[in-house]
């Protein structure tokens, strides 16, 4: 298989505080993660054979079946995943409970039989490891099973259009500052408990609905404008990558 650029949807998962588990516990949470992600992909209509996955210590990276529509996948992230995680938290006999940071991104990557690389993949890992996501999950209550951040691309394609089952008013902008020469990143954190707190619209949509005001990352103070604390939601093999999970 030649290394060819392709536009793919990327799902990244990281388990909070996975290092505190002993060996048997590590196996249990790993199986839980496989189970809930498998259920998510199945409900999204993904063909398992068309997905590429890699488990990396305390997280999972998935290149999703290209046939899966982005809005359908996002909708299942907001429906199926909370149900699966809550079920395991409430019924320990059905799998070890886990708390997850999740990023959904879409962009061009280069892949062959051994590896997947690309700046868009690097950006997805930066969002996953960002302070806004870590602090949101860390400061959330015990009933919070995950926090989800979608990239600017996903927001434009699957959130802003107002597809069925996706409430755009439940997403809040976060900005990840530049680091080591990398560019500033903008993401959108799913925070349904802060619905209705958007700023006044800066660009009306074709249906006259108010779009949450965007922060210009280049503007003074742009990286610190959005407070994302307390965001809650109650509710095979890829070659070695240069990115790492840091649960």
């Amino acid at each position: 298989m030649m290394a060819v650029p392709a536009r793919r949807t990327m799902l990244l998962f990281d388990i909070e505080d996975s290092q505190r588990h002993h060996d048997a516990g590590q196996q249990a949470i790993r199986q839980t993660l496989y189970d809930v992600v498998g259920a998510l992909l199945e409900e999204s209509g993904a063909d398992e054979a068309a997905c590429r996955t890699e488990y990396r210590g305390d997280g999972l990276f998935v290149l999703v079946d290209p046939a899966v529509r982005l809005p359908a996948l996002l909708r299942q992230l907001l429906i199926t995943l909370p149900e699966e995680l809550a079920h395991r938290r409430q019924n320990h006999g059905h799998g070890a409970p886990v708390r997850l940071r999740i990023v959904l991104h879409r962009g061009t990557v280069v892949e062959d039989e051994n590896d997947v690389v690309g700046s868009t993949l690097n950006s997805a890992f930066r969002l996953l490891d960002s302070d806004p996501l870590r602090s949101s999950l860390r400061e959330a209550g015990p009933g919070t099973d995950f926090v989800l951040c979608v990239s600017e691309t996903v927001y434009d394609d699957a959130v802003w259009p107002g597809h069925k089952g996706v409430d755009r008013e439940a997403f809040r902008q976060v900005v990840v500052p530049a680091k080591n020469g990398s560019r500033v990143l903008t993401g959108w954190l799913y925070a349904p408990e802060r619905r209705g707190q958007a700023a006044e619209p800066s660009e009306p949509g074709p249906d006259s609905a108010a779009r949450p005001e965007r922060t210009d990352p280049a503007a003074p103070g742009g990286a610190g404008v959005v407070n994302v604390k307390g965001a809650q939601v109650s509710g095979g093999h890829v070659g070695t990558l240069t990115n790492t999970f840091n649960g």
Side-chain angles (χ1 to χ4, degrees):
M1 175 184 178
M2 290 183 58
V4 293
R7 189 165 178 81
R8 299 292 299 269
T9 298
M10 294 157 266
L11 261 176
L12 283 66
F13 302 84
D14 190 79
I15 301 173
E16 182 185 52
D17 295 332
S18 62
Q19 296 91 342
R20 64 185 175 85
H21 295 277
H22 49 68
D23 289 351
Q26 290 277 352
Q27 292 177 334
I29 62 175
R30 174 174 176 165
Q31 188 59 54
T32 293
L33 184 55
Y34 272 129
D35 289 345
V36 297
V37 172
L40 166 68
L41 293 174
E42 181 178 2
E43 290 298 321
S44 301
D47 179 355
E48 183 179 357
C51 298
R52 298 185 65 164
T53 64
E54 180 188 2
Y55 189 87
R56 292 185 55 82
D58 49 8
L60 192 68
F61 160 60
V62 183
L63 280 186
V64 181
D65 175 3
V68 174
R69 296 177 59 249
L70 189 57
L73 178 61
L74 177 58
R75 186 162 52 246
Q76 292 308 317
L77 272 169
L78 304 180
I79 298 173
T80 299
L81 191 69
E83 293 176 350
E84 291 287 332
L85 291 172
H87 179 66
R88 284 159 175 78
R89 171 168 44 82
Q90 297 162 5
N91 303 276
H92 289 220
H94 294 275
V98 296
R99 280 161 50 101
L100 303 173
R101 298 194 315 276
I102 305 170
V103 166
L104 177 62
H105 188 26
R106 182 167 175 79
T108 300
V109 297
V110 179
E111 59 176 321
D112 59 22
E113 66 274 11
N114 298 315
D115 208 356
V116 180
V117 297
S119 59
T120 56
L121 181 58
N122 295 337
S123 295
F125 274 94
R126 281 184 59 205
L127 286 173
L128 186 71
D129 197 41
S130 66
D131 288 339
L133 261 68
R134 287 182 173 276
S135 61
S136 293
L137 187 57
R138 182 173 58 250
E139 297 171 12
T144 299
D145 297 310
F146 75 96
V147 291
L148 167 68
C149 181
V150 303
S151 67
E152 186 85 349
T153 299
V154 172
Y155 183 88
D156 287 341
D157 291 349
V159 177
W160 170 243
H163 295 292
K164 181 180 179 181
V166 180
D167 180 4
R168 64 187 174 200
E169 292 188 1
F171 288 81
R172 294 292 174 268
Q173 188 185 54
V174 294
V175 177
V176 180
K179 182 179 180 181
N180 297 328
S182 61
R183 64 187 180 88
V184 173
L185 291 179
T186 300
W188 292 82
L189 184 71
Y190 181 60
E193 81 289 349
R194 299 187 61 181
R195 184 183 292 105
Q197 297 181 22
E200 291 298 317
S202 59
E203 35 180 329
D207 57 353
S208 298
R211 180 170 190 163
E213 183 179 0
R214 293 173 183 250
T215 299
D216 180 1
V225 170
V226 180
N227 179 1
V228 298
K229 293 184 179 180
Q232 300 182 29
V233 182
S234 296
H237 172 76
V238 180
T240 302
L241 302 175
T242 57
N243 311 84
T244 58
F245 290 92
N246 299 297

